[in-house]
Amino acid sequence: MFKSLRVGALAAALMAATSLTAVAEVVLHRDNGGEPETLDPHKTSVTTENNILKDMYEGLIGLSADGKLIPGMAESWTISDDGTVYTFNLRDAKWSNGDPVVAGDFEYSLRRIMDPATGAKYATVLYPIKNAEKVNKSELPKEELGVKAIDDKTLEITLESPTPYFLGLLQHQTGLPVHPATVEEHGTDFVRPENVVTNGAFIITEFVPNSHVTVVRNENYYGNDDVQIDKVVFHNIEDRGAAVRRFEAGEFHIVDEVPTEQMAHVKSTMADQLLVAPYLGTYYYALNHESEKLKDPGVRQALSMAIDREFLADEIFAGTMSVAYSIVPPGIDNYGEPAYAEYKGQSMIDREDEARELLEAAGYNESNPLKLELRYNTNENHKNAAIAIADMWKPLGVEVSMLNTDVKTHYAHLRDQGDFDVARAGWIGDYSDPQNFLFLVESDNTGFNYARYNNPEYDALMDKAAATLDLEKRADIMKQAEVLFMRDLPFIPILHYSSKKLVSDKISGYEPNLRDEHQSRWITVSE
Amino acid sequence: MLRYVIGRLLTAIPTLFLIITISFFLIRIAPGGPFDLERPLEAKVMENLNKIYHLDEPLWMQYVLYLKNVAVLDFGPSFYLRDFSINELFAQSLPISIQLGTSALALALVVGGFMGVMAALRQNGPGDYSIMAAATLGVTIPNFVVAPVLTLILGVWLGWLPVGGWGGGAFVNKILPVVTLALPQIAVVARLTRGSMIEALRSNHVRTARAYGLSAYLVIVVHALRGAILPVVSYLGPAAAALLTGSVVVESIFGIPGIGRYFVQGALNRDYTLVMGTVVVVACFVIVFNLVVDLLYALLDPRVRYD
């Protein structure tokens, strides 16, 4: 009995020793910032899913480490002269089960996301594809979608109208393919680790809800030789303080988002591992254009002018946000410099004086204050920002009352045309193009135009930009639209988002980029 | 006895039915729905989602449907974690929460009970005061403070224990969460035990036992403690139900995939089935543990009989 135990122990020790001497497995521990709701690339809607999906799947267009569009499953492509027909030539690539990736897979996948029966939350991103909207609304059968596999290696996508940012849309997580045979066989259960077949650098082995997702090297991936990491564990935790502590203890290599309240601590102890970079998003206050109190353009300008954005960025958000004087974030593709507010660069004192005059002209002062209700979704940072802004407005004769609700209630209220004066909101771009910010306040955009801004001139400019092929001319037209935006202020742009990461010094190949997307295939881990 | 148990379990059915009914309609009052995002859905897509999840039917129909499903223990699909059904989520998370909760409960009972007895035996002495001071501290410091402090000291600075994660249920991963869960319970158990123990030590039957010259061990453990433990048992019933169904705070801070977080997640995301599922599970635990307490009473207190 004892002998056999000893032998067993010896064997176990030997096995452990040999597996250690074999090439050590390279594991990357990524904090994912939250729980993925689904790992079905056609039901996906949030970044916590994007991080994982982009490791598992590869679309026609890929993204380099520094955030540039690069060939993915498509090796090359041509665009017709009128900008509406894209022809993609696929590379020799395989699914994780060894099947070749063919054009038909993309035809199947794009039809699937538009099929109303799929219940895709983010299908709208791909609406520029011909008939996409009609298919998604059940007005046409999915076979009518403007996507055609000419042969196994050639895919043709026809658009409704020229869309200069279309390649960027295909790079979005909704453009990822699924393996048709697996979906047909398992239905919605095709996402299960035991069923799923993927074409990206990694394949999933484990999905524990409220804990983690594990993916491992996909030997069939065409770029497998250049991938250093064998296994990635995505830790789906929401508690930001815990994430920082786990990073400090060496359990995580990357923290997805450093919370504002930890910035001072992080800066003093781990400054060399902190990466703060511009991110494609704007934090704004929507002004209700149907509210009598905000009808006067002077009043709206005064409110915007009096906000000390530098103070908010540095003090309230501890340097994790940057000031915004335009709705479109600087550095975006296909644009150039955004149309900044005139008072950018002006001193705060002058701006306050000017704002006071404007409000005075509208009949408001400290004895006859303008009473506004400010709504925000419950969050410590939003609260602090709201208090600071109310304080900045107060000396001008603006009296703010605040109302906070949970995030679902907040956005449901704005969307259902509920009554409000001023409301906090934020927008993170889905693709790097000014259209993705300026379209928010088109008059027919009932979902996002919280301000109920209705300016035919603005709409006309946006329509004209959509029909313009020449990128420079198009940028000019959109800039004219942004000038109108900054004049009428449906939203007051306050801050631009930044990504704020902790990246261990064991990590290389992690480059900050505007899309804040970092596929594990580019990352290397050293011991 | 068996008749009593069956009777109690049968009365649980209307209770559960009431709880399900009230919470089913309460959660629907909250504004917004499970598929409301910041980016609104196409009307048609929303219609389809609603159809898939039967949200397009009249509320009373949905209610009947839900009752039918619950009757066969099918809690439906999760609206938020769309790759899973509620049953699958619970199958993964409930055992973890039960493991943690049982360990914490056992720790609290042993340590708290021991401390309470010790304090009672040294009533009004320095030992008593220091134990009671520690217990007061244990009750007053909330777990969202205790947990980060413990992880900071033992995990980050000293590096002895993992800061978070379940680690497939590894022992080292359980230590901090169990201690965090147990601390306030230790304190309560210690205080309750001390109080009732002091009373018991003065009671007639203990005095008689002493007069017989029984050993201190027999007097304290067999005669005094048996009576003194009754208030602790009645406290532990609901406490066990709460502990075994997980803790939002502890699970979030330690990154443990237990059931506790689902309640909050479900409510915030308007994941109706998830909220309902957790309500039913918690209700069942409360009902069962109250029954267990009553049965334990019969065992411990010769005056209580259910025949």
Side-chain angles (χ1 to χ4, degrees):
Chain A
M1 175 68 185
F2 272 113
K3 201 177 159 196
S4 68
L5 260 182
R6 271 217 317 266
V7 171
L10 196 68
L14 262 174
M15 271 168 66
T18 44
S19 66
L20 276 178
T21 48
V23 186
E25 189 185 42
V26 181
V27 184
L28 173 68
H29 288 276
R30 292 179 70 148
D31 156 38
N32 196 33
E35 187 73 15
E37 293 169 27
T38 170
L39 289 180
D40 181 336
H42 298 151
K43 291 180 185 165
T44 174
S45 58
V46 291
T47 53
T48 49
E49 292 154 10
N50 183 47
N51 296 338
I52 302 171
L53 287 171
K54 288 285 175 66
D55 272 4
M56 293 166 59
Y57 295 94
E58 186 167 303
L60 292 165
I61 307 295
L63 200 69
S64 66
D66 58 353
K68 301 272 183 305
L69 298 179
I70 54 167
M73 284 292 126
E75 205 167 33
S76 62
W77 51 87
T78 53
I79 306 171
S80 69
D81 291 338
D82 64 352
T84 57
V85 183
Y86 285 62
T87 311
F88 296 92
N89 305 305
L90 268 59
R91 72 167 76 234
D92 290 318
K94 284 182 183 159
W95 290 95
S96 52
N97 67 352
D99 288 358
V101 177
V102 295
D105 299 339
F106 282 93
E107 186 188 75
Y108 178 89
S109 299
L110 288 167
R111 281 180 183 174
R112 179 170 182 264
I113 190 169
M114 285 309 155
D115 185 348
T118 306
K121 285 182 178 173
Y122 240 60
T124 36
V125 170
L126 294 168
Y127 273 10
I129 298 175
K130 191 168 177 61
N131 292 339
E133 189 169 353
K134 292 201 179 98
V135 172
N136 198 218
K137 290 181 176 169
S138 293
E139 289 162 14
L140 281 177
K142 61 184 175 187
E143 288 72 24
E144 295 293 315
L145 186 70
V147 180
K148 208 162 78 196
I150 308 278
D151 56 48
D152 276 357
K153 289 279 166 208
T154 319
L155 183 77
E156 188 183 271
I157 301 184
T158 312
L159 306 186
E160 286 282 345
S161 60
T163 310
Y165 50 89
F166 182 62
L167 293 177
L169 297 186
L170 284 180
Q171 195 278 325
H172 189 264
Q173 71 226 60
T174 48
L176 299 174
V178 292
H179 185 249
T182 314
V183 177
E184 291 300 321
E185 190 187 338
H186 298 284
T188 50
D189 280 345
F190 86 93
V191 292
R192 303 295 166 99
E194 62 272 22
N195 300 336
V196 77
V197 173
T198 59
N199 71 333
F202 299 90
I203 40 181
I204 188 170
T205 54
E206 200 184 14
F207 182 174
V208 182
N210 257 339
S211 176
H212 64 276
V213 168
T214 310
V215 300
V216 299
R217 176 187 289 282
N218 174 7
E219 301 285 350
N220 279 320
Y221 181 58
Y222 68 88
N224 182 37
D225 291 345
D226 301 324
V227 178
Q228 187 238 3
I229 292 167
D230 297 305
K231 180 166 151 185
V232 186
V233 184
F234 290 91
H235 297 270
N236 304 318
I237 65 169
E238 267 163 45
D239 189 319
R240 301 290 76 213
V244 173
R245 284 194 297 278
R246 292 182 76 174
F247 178 84
E248 285 184 90
E251 292 174 20
F252 290 174
H253 292 111
I254 296 167
V255 172
D256 184 64
E257 190 186 0
V258 180
T260 309
E261 68 274 11
Q262 294 263 350
M263 279 310 268
H265 165 64
V266 166
K267 278 180 183 164
S268 69
T269 57
M270 299 169 264
D272 55 328
Q273 301 181 87
L274 176 68
L275 269 183
V276 178
Y279 184 33
L280 196 63
T282 307
Y283 183 107
Y284 62 83
Y285 276 2
L287 302 178
N288 186 355
H289 277 231
E290 284 173 0
S291 160
E292 278 307 314
K293 295 175 254 184
L294 294 166
K295 273 247 151 41
D296 184 341
V299 171
R300 298 195 298 263
Q301 280 299 334
L303 291 176
S304 172
M305 228 179 256
I307 296 176
D308 186 347
R309 293 161 171 85
E310 280 75 11
F311 175 82
L312 293 173
D314 296 341
E315 303 299 326
I316 304 291
F317 287 94
T320 59
M321 303 273 256
S322 57
V323 299
Y325 287 96
S326 59
I327 186 71
V328 180
I332 203 163
D333 291 340
N334 310 330
Y335 203 42
E337 284 287 288
Y340 292 118
E342 291 155 17
Y343 38 86
K344 177 183 192 261
Q346 220 176 323
S347 83
M348 244 357 267
I349 299 177
D350 292 346
R351 275 157 61 179
E352 273 167 28
D353 288 343
E354 215 172 304
R356 191 172 287 117
E357 279 166 30
L358 284 169
L359 279 173
E360 198 79 60
Y364 298 110
N365 51 43
E366 276 188 275
S367 50
N368 175 32
L370 166 66
K371 289 188 178 149
L372 293 178
E373 186 184 70
L374 171 55
R375 295 182 73 107
Y376 62 93
N377 52 306
T378 314
N379 171 299
E380 204 54 29
N381 290 331
H382 301 337
K383 182 174 100 186
N384 293 340
I387 293 171
I389 289 173
D391 200 49
M392 293 167 192
W393 284 346
K394 201 172 169 219
L396 313 175
V398 179
E399 207 176 282
V400 176
S401 58
M402 294 191 207
L403 183 71
N404 68 86
T405 53
D406 74 275
V407 69
K408 286 252 175 187
T409 312
H410 181 72
Y411 282 105
H413 182 84
L414 293 183
R415 206 168 37 241
D416 301 341
Q417 312 283 303
D419 189 35
F420 76 100
D421 299 324
V422 184
R424 186 217 86 89
W427 176 248
I428 306 288
D430 287 317
Y431 42 92
S432 182
D433 189 277
Q435 188 272 348
N436 195 216
F437 284 82
L438 295 171
F439 88 114
L440 293 173
V441 294
E442 287 174 16
S443 61
D444 58 353
N445 190 345
T446 45
F448 286 130
N449 187 355
Y450 307 136
R452 294 149 218 177
Y453 179 55
N454 186 352
N455 182 349
E457 198 187 344
Y458 184 90
D459 293 344
L461 281 170
M462 291 305 288
D463 288 343
K464 194 172 156 199
T468 306
L469 273 177
D470 184 275
L471 281 180
E472 270 177 48
K473 280 188 194 141
R474 177 173 173 272
D476 276 345
I477 300 166
M478 283 197 290
K479 186 157 310 176
Q480 289 171 38
E482 195 179 15
V483 169
L484 288 185
F485 185 107
M486 294 309 293
R487 184 195 72 190
D488 297 339
L489 287 177
F491 303 160
I492 301 178
I494 298 173
L495 298 161
H496 291 307
Y497 287 93
S498 300
S499 56
K500 42 242 159 180
K501 312 270 172 180
L502 274 170
V503 180
S504 156
D505 37 29
K506 288 182 185 156
I507 298 289
S508 43
Y510 192 96
E511 295 179 41
N513 62 64
L514 199 59
R515 283 188 175 81
D516 192 28
E517 194 174 312
H518 308 273
Q519 294 169 15
S520 306
R521 62 186 277 217
W522 308 119
I523 298 173
T524 54
V525 184
S526 64
E527 277 316 303
Chain B
M1 186 73 153
L2 190 67
R3 253 189 76 165
Y4 174 77
V5 173
I6 292 171
R8 279 284 293 266
L9 287 177
L10 282 179
T11 54
I13 293 172
T15 314
L16 270 177
F17 172 77
L18 259 179
I19 290 171
I20 291 174
T21 308
I22 293 171
S23 28
F24 184 91
F25 292 102
L26 263 184
I27 178 80
R28 300 303 177 108
I29 295 173
F35 306 118
D36 277 327
L37 303 165
E38 291 182 35
R39 173 187 272 272
L41 296 176
E42 265 318 314
K44 193 71 205 175
V45 176
M46 182 67 106
E47 200 184 301
N48 266 290
L49 282 169
N50 284 340
K51 202 187 284 168
I52 294 170
Y53 293 103
H54 299 291
L55 290 173
D56 56 340
E57 313 212 16
L59 199 56
W60 67 267
M61 266 296 287
Q62 294 181 39
Y63 171 68
V64 173
L65 205 68
Y66 187 77
L67 280 184
K68 266 192 201 157
N69 287 335
V70 168
V72 292
L73 293 180
D74 173 9
F75 292 105
S78 169
F79 294 161
Y80 174 65
L81 299 165
R82 286 175 71 187
D83 298 347
F84 298 94
S85 71
I86 302 295
N87 290 35
E88 286 169 324
L89 290 176
F90 285 179
Q92 289 214 15
S93 57
L94 197 54
I96 292 176
S97 288
I98 291 180
Q99 252 187 70
L100 278 186
T102 325
S103 316
L105 206 64
L107 189 68
L109 201 59
V110 171
V111 177
F114 181 75
M115 282 170 69
V117 172
M118 284 301 135
L121 293 177
R122 291 170 176 69
Q123 197 193 348
N124 297 335
D128 180 19
Y129 287 138
S130 44
I131 287 175
M132 281 308 108
T136 310
L137 217 61
V139 179
T140 47
I141 303 181
N143 52 6
F144 57 82
V145 174
V146 172
V149 169
L150 284 179
T151 52
L152 205 58
I153 297 172
L154 295 167
V156 179
W157 294 342
L158 298 172
W160 292 347
L161 293 170
V163 175
W166 179 239
F171 179 70
V172 282
N173 288 71
K174 286 185 208 160
I175 298 175
L176 288 182
V178 167
V179 169
T180 310
L181 277 175
L183 275 179
Q185 307 301 335
I186 290 177
V188 176
V189 170
R191 293 187 72 92
L192 283 175
T193 314
R194 175 184 177 273
S196 52
M197 193 68 186
I198 287 173
E199 211 175 298
L201 286 174
R202 292 188 189 133
S203 65
N204 292 334
H205 74 280
V206 170
R207 199 180 308 126
T208 315
R210 277 222 178 101
Y212 274 129
L214 295 181
S215 72
Y217 170 81
L218 271 180
V219 173
I220 293 165
V221 176
V222 177
H223 294 282
L225 196 58
R226 184 168 169 184
I229 205 90
L230 285 174
V232 178
V233 169
S234 47
Y235 167 76
L236 280 182
L243 276 176
L244 266 52
T245 49
S247 150
V248 187
V249 176
V250 169
E251 287 173 13
S252 308
I253 293 178
F254 292 104
I256 291 167
I259 197 175
R261 248 190 298 173
Y262 287 139
F263 197 53
V264 176
Q265 259 178 1
L268 287 179
N269 294 309
R270 309 287 190 268
D271 190 340
Y272 301 140
T273 44
L274 190 54
V275 172
M276 293 303 299
T278 25
V279 166
V280 173
V281 168
V282 172
C284 286
F285 270 80
V286 171
I287 290 171
V288 168
F289 276 95
N290 276 322
L291 177 59
V292 170
V293 165
D294 289 346
L295 296 180
L296 275 179
Y297 252 73
L299 215 66
L300 292 167
D301 189 339
R303 288 166 300 185
V304 180
R305 284 287 176 268
Y306 297 123
D307 297 326

